[in-house]
Amino acid sequence: MNTVVLGLQWGDEGKGKAIDYLAGNFDVVVRFQGGHNAGHTVYYRGQKVVLHVLPSGIFYPGCLAVIAHGVVVQPLQLVEEVRNARRLGLTLENLSLSAGAPLILPFHQQLDVVFEDSRYQRIGTTRRGIGPAYEDVIGRRALFVGDLLDEKAFRAKIAPLAEYYNRLFAAWGQPAGELEAAIAAYLEAGEFLRPHVADTTALLRRARRERKRILFEGAQGSLLDIHLGTYPFVTSSNTTIAGVFSGTGLSPKAVGRVLGVSKAYATRVGEGPFPSELKGESGDRLRELGHEYGATTGRPRRVGWLDLVALRHAVEVNGVDRLFLTKLDVLDSLAEIQVAVAYDCDGRRGDDFPGHADALARVVPVYRSLPGWRQPLGKARRLEELPQEARAYLDFIAEFAGAEIGYVSVGSEREQTIFIDIS
Ligand code: IMP
């Protein structure tokens, strides 16, 4: 059954592990939004590999890996990532890159940094140029992967865009970027990527007609969605189910099942409200237990208790059929585990998730405390092998969030996953 895997929190839920676990059952794995702001950690032949734009399906021979047109592509970075994958012994012959994927150009990255360092807008972005590249799509100025394959057309299109950005930079007192060297490097990257460039919508439709099994690989998390996340502290794409359709050209009928990934606790990178955040010593402890440092930027992640109000919101937005709960083992040593079950705000208690960051910043979470299990879970492979307290924790989450748990991860290895057959 064609399956979508989506993050239900602020990214870093362990989607890389979930997709790697599932990908063996699929013929096609598709990235449909985001860019190299993502960092999907997968263990391959005992080695830790962080993928940024390449779909996690690349590790399975015979699995078609597709980067669809919803993804913003920095071609120099992608070339580097392809080269790294080849060094691991992967041929990547079956990688397809949409000609319609918007390009992240050097001035996008420069603008991201200028804005982040200004006092006007500090989001805590990954500084990769993601937001400005999507802005150009909305502003109808974007250049696309296909443009790289025709030098004359590429030069003709990038020149006025560079002028547009140079005027902006001049107003900010910033130097203009060096264009000629960038054009040469981008064209060279285009030549390298040329064999992979395709009409991925046509390719995916063909795959559907041939009844190939398709896995859609989400990046970031639902609470970072440009429309449904904690705006303005969000990324610039649809990280929710909507992104699958706008980002691939397939219809909702192409999706059979939605799998939502959540950690057993919560993390967030960058700025923005995080009601269940744990500060001080207990936060530091959880960060160390979970090794919570960014896969892309190395930044220490903010950590906190699982927020079930937010999780239920994400389940509803995406129509999640099953949960894939990760890093349950990180809580092994805790005597007591808290989960947020309501918010107090302006003298009222409720369990709706406010859409805007300003409202979310005002809420005070109401917690429910559950007993910990205080024993290592890393060796459990079946639900029955989990201690009663851990099962009670899972039951509470499923009940509150409104989706059953289909998978529980108890360690970083592929085998450290419990599959719960509830079909
Ligand atoms: P941008 O996507 O680089 O524009 O960053 C916008 C926000 O999304 C920032 O808070 C980032 O930390 C966050 N973000 C972007 N990509 C990821 C990710 O893959 N994991 C977690 N957070 C992310």
Side-chain angles (χ1 to χ4, degrees), residues 10-13 15 36-40 112 123-132 219-221 224 232-236 268-271 296-297 299 301:
W10 283 288
D12 309 318
E13 297 89 352
K15 295 177 294 294
H36 65 309
N37 48 351
H40 292 174
D112 202 356
I123 304 292
T125 73
T126 59
R127 297 174 175 245
R128 301 284 197 273
I130 306 294
Q220 292 86 43
L224 290 172
F233 302 103
V234 292
T235 190
S236 296
R268 173 163 207 170
V269 201
E271 309 294 317
T296 297
T297 58
R299 291 181 286 179
R301 295 180 183 141

Side-chain angles (χ1 to χ4, degrees), residues 228-231 313 353-357 359-360:
L228 296 155
T230 54
Y231 192 91
H313 162 75
F353 186 76
H356 198 281
L360 191 64

Side-chain angles (χ1 to χ4, degrees), residues 17-18 38 49 92 205 208 236 248 285 291 318 329 333 354 422:
K17 154 129 192 198
V49 186
L92 290 193
R205 288 192 182 141
R208 259 203 93 201
S236 296
T248 64
R285 177 156 173 237
H291 310 292
N318 296 303
D329 56 299
S333 59
I422 34 180

Side-chain angles (χ1 to χ4, degrees), residues 98-422:
S98 172
L103 292 176
I104 300 178
L105 294 159
F107 26 80
H108 293 140
Q109 191 173 349
Q110 193 180 345
L111 191 68
D112 202 356
V113 172
V114 169
F115 260 60
E116 278 294 296
D117 290 340
S118 77
R119 66 197 163 87
Y120 297 108
Q121 190 182 29
R122 193 173 152 70
I123 304 292
T125 73
T126 59
R127 297 174 175 245
R128 301 284 197 273
I130 306 294
Y134 277 118
E135 275 180 51
D136 271 0
V137 176
I138 302 292
R140 295 160 294 187
R141 296 179 291 269
L143 269 66
F144 300 91
V145 164
D147 291 323
L148 288 176
L149 307 184
D150 178 344
E151 176 170 351
K152 215 167 138 212
F154 181 66
R155 285 181 179 278
K157 286 180 184 174
I158 200 171
L161 197 59
E163 189 191 319
Y164 168 88
Y165 276 100
N166 285 341
R167 283 172 185 235
L168 276 182
F169 291 135
W172 284 90
Q174 293 286 322
E178 217 287 82
L179 189 62
E180 191 44 46
I183 291 178
Y186 270 61
L187 288 169
E188 196 185 328
E191 279 316 306
F192 181 95
L193 296 168
R194 186 185 286 274
H196 300 285
V197 178
D199 174 346
T200 54
T201 300
L203 183 149
L204 289 170
R205 288 192 182 141
R206 211 162 37 243
R208 259 203 93 201
R209 279 195 298 275
E210 290 166 3
R211 305 210 168 278
K212 297 222 165 98
R213 296 159 302 173
I214 307 174
L215 183 65
F216 300 91
E217 175 176 355
Q220 292 86 43
S222 298
L223 305 178
L224 290 172
D225 185 278
I226 184 73
H227 293 120
L228 296 155
T230 54
Y231 192 91
F233 302 103
V234 292
T235 190
S236 296
S237 65
N238 280 125
T239 56
T240 51
I241 189 83
V244 175
F245 314 117
S246 60
T248 64
L250 293 182
S251 87
K253 293 197 176 109
V255 172
R257 172 172 93 134
V258 181
L259 209 64
V261 187
S262 170
K263 274 181 198 165
Y265 51 98
T267 62
R268 173 163 207 170
V269 201
E271 309 294 317
F274 180 1
S276 63
E277 182 167 12
L278 273 171
K279 295 204 172 131
E281 235 173 71
S282 36
D284 292 343
R285 177 156 173 237
L286 188 54
R287 180 177 308 106
E288 293 312 315
L289 285 172
H291 310 292
E292 294 296 350
Y293 295 88
T296 297
T297 58
R299 291 181 286 179
R301 295 180 183 141
R302 300 158 66 193
V303 296
W305 297 119
L306 183 61
D307 183 339
L308 289 177
V309 178
L311 188 67
R312 182 167 59 191
H313 162 75
V315 164
E316 285 178 359
V317 161
N318 296 303
V320 169
D321 297 297
R322 291 278 186 280
L323 293 170
F324 194 126
L325 198 79
T326 59
K327 297 187 108 169
L328 186 64
D329 56 299
V330 170
L331 306 180
D332 281 354
S333 59
L334 306 186
E336 204 185 358
I337 301 165
Q338 318 252 45
V339 284
V341 291
Y343 292 154
D344 281 340
C345 187
D346 303 333
R348 279 200 307 274
R349 181 162 293 184
D351 56 11
D352 288 327
F353 186 76
H356 198 281
D358 294 347
L360 191 64
R362 294 206 308 279
V363 309
V364 179
V366 179
Y367 290 107
R368 167 82 178 255
S369 182
L370 296 159
W373 41 92
R374 308 199 78 173
Q375 54 179 289
L377 302 185
K379 290 200 162 62
R381 296 293 176 270
R382 294 183 309 123
L383 185 64
E384 298 73 42
E385 290 164 21
L386 290 180
Q388 193 262 327
E389 294 86 351
R391 292 181 65 171
Y393 187 60
L394 299 181
D395 288 344
F396 192 83
I397 294 169
E399 172 78 20
F400 195 102
E404 295 200 67
I405 297 175
Y407 308 82
V408 181
S409 164
V410 291
S412 56
E413 298 297 321
R414 195 183 280 172
E415 311 76 58
Q416 290 180 295
T417 308
I418 298 171
F419 168 62
I420 305 170
D421 192 359
I422 34 180

